Amino acid sequence: MIQIKHLTIRHKKDYRILLENFSLTLNPGDKCALIGEEGNGKSTLLKLLYDPALVENYAEYEGELLRTGERLGYLPQELPVQLRQLSIYEYLTETDSFYDQSPAELASLCSRLSFPVERLYADEPLHILSGGEKIKVQLIRLLIENPTALLLDEPSNDLDLETLLWLETFIQNSAVPLLYISHDETLLERTANKIIHIEQLRRKTTPRCMVVQTDYQSYLAQRSHQFEKQAQEAKNERRAYDKQLEKFRRIQQKIEHQQNVISRQDPHGAALLKKTMHRVKAYEARFEKKFESMTEMPEYEEAMFTKFGSRACMPNGKTVLDFSLEKLSVPMSADTAESTVLARDIHLFVQGPEHICITGKNGCGKTTLMRLLAEELLSRTDLKAAYMPQNYEELLDLRLTPVEFLSDGSKQSISTMRTYLGSMKFTADEMLHPMYELSGGQRAKVMLLYLDTSGCDVLLLDEPSRNFSPLSNPVIRQMLAAFQGAIISVSHDRKYIAEVCDKVYELTATGLHKTALTPSPS
């Protein structure tokens, strides 16, 4: 059992409180989903539970963390830099538990994760693996250590559909308690039985945290119903208040008028009117005091808002892409010029404002293909393309602040970018933080603004929803679905595919093959 008692977490740089007086008990059988907007401290809470040293450079905390006797398994959102140069075998053998596994046990685990068992002994460095393959290798190491509790930060990131379905089943059937963060709404809907919702209200000056023992869809429905009911009660009480207040005003005006008329002619009547006025004002004072205890309008943290791609307009007959590739290859390792052929005879034709999605198994070469498509489209002069890579560091200089990265340095540009960042729910302090201090979701928002402000009419998006919260992703999907330019994307997000994409292609060893849209996750 894991217990958190009266935990308060504060950001060291701007002293913003991320979590205040938070308590939680995590019991066996709990599938506890941690949700909230980007930058609200979700990943910080997981790191702190696993090892306080992971947050000591940017956050401080008060309270008790009780996990005596627990073997915690932690999956970070990003593989630590110092581990990326290790080979798969070196990474796995860092834990003695690897040697306790029989070949049959390892083969069974690899089979469930659709990862070839022979690659466990390979000298492939982790940094050349695809995003989904990195997650799989980390999950293999995590599971062979037999943890008694699991802390998972975006375990669904970059996983192919087959492995996503395995992950859902694994979480559903797990006997050990889980605390996890995920952007995948379908996974949350199918697995969570407890919700922790971290919010930052009043321009991120007031933290609020809700813990509810229910599933994700029920939580959203209950929350929406509660807010609607509270808002209606608040409106009704304010309407009644305004009506009664108006009644008091009319009585006071009538008495004041009568006082002016008879004050000199009838001193006795004037005295009676004065007493009446005192009584009316006393009633009004008691009424206004009662108003202080009336139902308040509900407070909640809104998702970001931006009018994405409003300038894009791609003619229907415009040839956006006519791409052919005889073979798609990747280096076998960083130390050799030899390469592995992943796919052959690739053809992709995109015309007009089509929204295309490319899917396929982890390691089949989707990100490599996207880089080639980006290379071709970014060099075109008859259209304006912009690329959002899976690894934001390919474009972002994390030493810069969001304002520095997005603006050209002029006063007008800085002012405009501050306004845009504000619409993305960045505080004034966060706009001036170097991006290495920001969460993955906040960096994703910077990338989204970069795409928008580039004035592009073609978007290349590699896993665009991977770092946005499940509360932001519906807004992202709505924005991208309304984009009037072309979109070529890689994604395994079932809601993204269903709501944004017109065509879906699966990348296999024999090329790109058009397939049906992913069945609705409902």
Side-chain angles (χ1 to χ4, degrees):
M1 183 173 68
I2 297 174
Q3 280 189 303
I4 302 172
K5 295 184 177 181
H6 308 296
L7 178 65
T8 295
I9 305 175
R10 183 180 289 102
H11 203 288
K12 284 184 177 180
K13 187 164 186 176
D14 56 21
Y15 304 105
R16 180 164 62 93
I17 297 176
L18 302 174
L19 207 59
E20 188 171 34
N21 198 28
F22 171 68
S23 296
L24 173 73
T25 299
L26 201 60
N27 296 303
D30 279 347
K31 283 80 174 174
C32 190
L34 186 56
I35 66 172
E37 292 299 324
E38 296 79 14
N40 280 5
K42 304 185 297 297
S43 295
T44 297
L45 177 58
L46 287 193
K47 291 176 183 177
L48 183 61
L49 269 177
Y50 180 68
D51 181 3
L54 295 176
V55 305
E56 64 183 9
N57 65 325
Y58 71 91
E60 57 190 14
Y61 76 98
E62 302 168 359
E64 292 184 81
L65 303 173
L66 306 177
R67 47 191 185 276
T68 306
E70 298 285 356
R71 293 192 311 277
L72 298 182
Y74 170 59
L75 177 75
Q77 188 178 114
E78 299 288 347
L79 187 67
V81 175
Q82 65 271 21
L83 298 178
R84 296 177 191 176
Q85 299 303 319
L86 297 179
S87 69
I88 297 175
Y89 181 70
E90 288 171 336
Y91 174 72
L92 292 174
T93 54
E94 279 198 336
T95 172
D96 292 337
S97 300
F98 181 79
Y99 300 105
D100 297 332
Q101 305 295 307
S102 69
E105 289 172 327
L106 289 173
S108 175
L109 180 55
C110 287
S111 175
R112 296 197 296 274
L113 282 165
S114 301
F115 192 82
V117 67
E118 60 271 14
R119 292 184 69 187
L120 300 187
Y121 305 93
D123 59 0
E124 296 175 80
L126 293 172
H127 70 85
I128 72 168
L129 303 183
S130 72
E133 288 176 321
K134 289 188 183 82
I135 295 290
K136 289 181 179 183
V137 171
Q138 290 178 85
L139 285 172
I140 289 170
R141 172 170 159 172
L142 201 62
L143 295 179
I144 63 178
E145 291 176 333
N146 293 314
T148 60
L150 286 168
L151 309 174
L152 308 178
D153 196 346
E154 299 286 7
S156 56
N157 262 3
D158 309 324
L159 292 180
D160 54 40
L161 183 57
E162 182 180 354
T163 312
L164 273 175
L165 295 175
W166 169 83
L167 180 63
E168 289 175 359
T169 303
F170 170 77
I171 293 175
Q172 290 166 353
N173 297 333
S174 176
V176 304
L178 288 106
L179 178 59
Y180 59 103
I181 303 166
S182 178
H183 72 271
D184 191 318
E185 295 157 77
T186 306
L187 180 129
L188 293 175
E189 291 167 359
R190 294 179 177 179
T191 58
N193 60 20
K194 180 183 283 189
I195 305 296
I196 301 175
H197 188 175
I198 298 177
E199 295 181 275
Q200 292 282 316
L201 308 175
R202 300 173 189 174
R203 298 188 177 182
K204 296 192 176 182
T205 61
T206 305
R208 179 173 70 186
C209 187
M210 302 284 290
V211 180
V212 183
Q213 189 81 45
T214 189
D215 63 271
Y216 182 67
Q217 287 179 303
S218 295
Y219 170 71
L220 293 183
Q222 291 169 12
R223 173 181 166 84
S224 177
H225 175 72
Q226 177 186 342
F227 282 169
E228 288 175 5
K229 181 180 179 183
Q230 183 179 339
Q232 191 58 52
E233 288 176 356
K235 289 177 182 177
N236 291 340
E237 290 178 13
R238 278 159 178 74
R239 195 177 296 116
Y241 170 81
D242 292 339
K243 186 176 180 180
Q244 186 62 48
L245 197 62
E246 179 61 26
K247 182 178 179 180
F248 283 133
R249 295 287 185 265
R250 288 198 303 270
I251 293 173
Q252 288 178 17
Q253 289 173 1
K254 183 178 180 180
I255 295 173
E256 288 173 354
H257 175 71
Q258 290 175 339
Q259 284 178 320
N260 292 333
V261 171
I262 69 172
S263 60
R264 295 181 181 178
Q265 302 172 358
D266 185 2
H268 178 66
L272 291 176
L273 287 172
K274 188 175 181 180
K275 290 182 180 180
T276 302
M277 178 65 84
H278 281 307
R279 287 199 299 272
V280 171
K281 287 188 174 182
Y283 286 140
E284 183 180 3
R286 289 199 293 272
F287 178 73
E288 288 185 341
K289 189 172 182 180
K290 184 180 178 181
F291 170 73
E292 296 174 0
S293 62
M294 285 202 309
T295 303
E296 295 182 354
M297 290 295 288
E299 287 187 287
Y300 56 92
E301 185 177 24
E302 295 180 346
M304 62 185 180
F305 172 78
T306 184
K307 294 180 179 179
F308 183 79
S310 57
R311 299 174 295 279
C313 185
M314 177 67 69
N316 290 330
K318 172 76 173 177
T319 297
V320 175
L321 184 68
D322 190 357
F323 180 83
S324 294
L325 186 67
E326 182 180 347
K327 60 181 180 181
L328 179 67
S329 305
V330 294
M332 293 185 66
S333 72
D335 303 323
T336 178
E338 297 182 38
S339 60
T340 301
V341 176
L342 299 177
R344 296 183 182 273
D345 300 323
I346 295 173
H347 303 282
L348 180 62
F349 181 78
V350 181
Q351 186 177 47
E354 290 185 316
H355 292 182
I356 305 296
C357 184
I358 299 172
T359 66
K361 293 184 178 298
N362 292 135
C364 70
K366 299 183 297 297
T367 291
T368 302
L369 177 59
M370 281 294 288
R371 290 192 182 114
L372 294 175
L373 298 180
E375 184 179 339
E376 177 163 326
L377 285 166
L378 291 171
S379 66
R380 292 268 292 274
T381 57
D382 60 324
L383 48 77
K384 176 71 171 176
Y387 175 43
M388 181 180 187
Q390 187 180 113
N391 179 8
Y392 305 144
E393 293 179 35
E394 291 180 28
L395 283 181
L396 295 179
D397 183 345
L398 300 185
R399 297 169 298 179
L400 300 178
T401 69
V403 172
E404 289 170 337
F405 175 76
L406 293 169
S407 73
D408 61 13
S410 67
K411 288 184 178 180
Q412 182 176 356
S413 177
I414 290 173
S415 177
T416 299
M417 292 310 159
R418 283 178 173 272
T419 300
Y420 285 159
L421 288 164
S423 74
M424 290 288 200
K425 306 305 176 185
F426 279 79
T427 65
D429 286 327
E430 288 170 336
M431 296 177 195
L432 301 178
H433 284 189
M435 285 187 284
Y436 65 78
E437 293 183 358
L438 301 182
S439 70
Q442 288 175 307
R443 294 176 195 173
K445 287 182 175 181
V446 174
M447 282 298 309
L448 201 65
L449 279 176
Y450 168 75
L451 298 182
D452 187 25
T453 55
S454 66
C456 56
D457 47 22
V458 180
L459 296 176
L460 295 116
L461 309 174
D462 195 347
E463 297 286 1
S465 61
R466 69 190 297 267
N467 280 318
F468 289 109
S469 78
L471 305 170
S472 291
N473 260 323
V475 181
I476 298 292
R477 293 195 298 270
Q478 185 178 20
M479 288 158 44
L480 292 176
F483 180 65
Q484 296 183 36
I487 296 177
I488 303 171
S489 57
V490 168
S491 182
H492 302 104
D493 185 324
R494 290 155 283 186
K495 287 184 181 287
Y496 170 85
I497 295 172
E499 296 177 22
V500 176
C501 302
D502 308 317
K503 296 179 181 178
V504 179
Y505 294 90
E506 182 179 5
L507 179 60
T508 70
T510 58
L512 284 169
H513 301 281
K514 190 174 179 181
T515 184
L517 291 171
T518 300
S520 172
S522 60

